Amino acid sequence: TDSGEYRHIQLGAFRSRSSADLLVQRLQTLTDSPIVIRPVQVGKAILYRVRVGPLSSREVFAEKTLLESKGFVSLQLLP
């Protein structure tokens, strides 16, 4: 957004949908926030991005802290 607010947290991008689905299943036991898989074309490959959101700016940072406390690293905050 123009205001620089973050609304989503990306937890990973996978070449296989089944790997993305496994992460979603794990996340569903940890959070009540919305979880989405977004396929994206990268060259000739499709990557399946796993994201939590949309969230409010305040929720995004609380959710990031929660996920980090559960062992997730390299979380990417996105608008």
Side-chain angles (χ1 to χ4, degrees):
T1 64
D2 290 338
S3 62
E5 290 185 0
Y6 295 112
R7 302 285 317 274
H8 299 85
I9 304 168
Q10 184 166 303
L11 288 100
F14 301 91
R15 289 189 182 270
S16 77
R17 174 69 190 230
S18 60
S19 294
D21 288 337
L22 285 173
L23 178 55
V24 168
Q25 288 173 14
R26 182 172 172 213
L27 287 169
Q28 287 172 334
T29 68
L30 302 175
T31 182
D32 293 326
S33 296
I35 304 164
V36 294
I37 296 176
R38 296 225 193 274
V40 63
Q41 185 86 31
V42 179
K44 293 183 179 181
I46 294 178
L47 291 180
Y48 297 91
R49 295 176 174 165
V50 178
R51 296 179 175 174
V52 173
L55 304 166
S56 72
S57 291
R58 181 174 294 160
E59 290 171 327
V60 117
F61 290 103
E63 190 73 20
K64 180 177 183 284
T65 300
L66 169 73
L67 293 169
E68 287 171 339
S69 76
K70 300 296 183 182
F72 289 94
V73 295
S74 302
L75 302 178
Q76 185 177 2
L77 299 180
L78 301 167

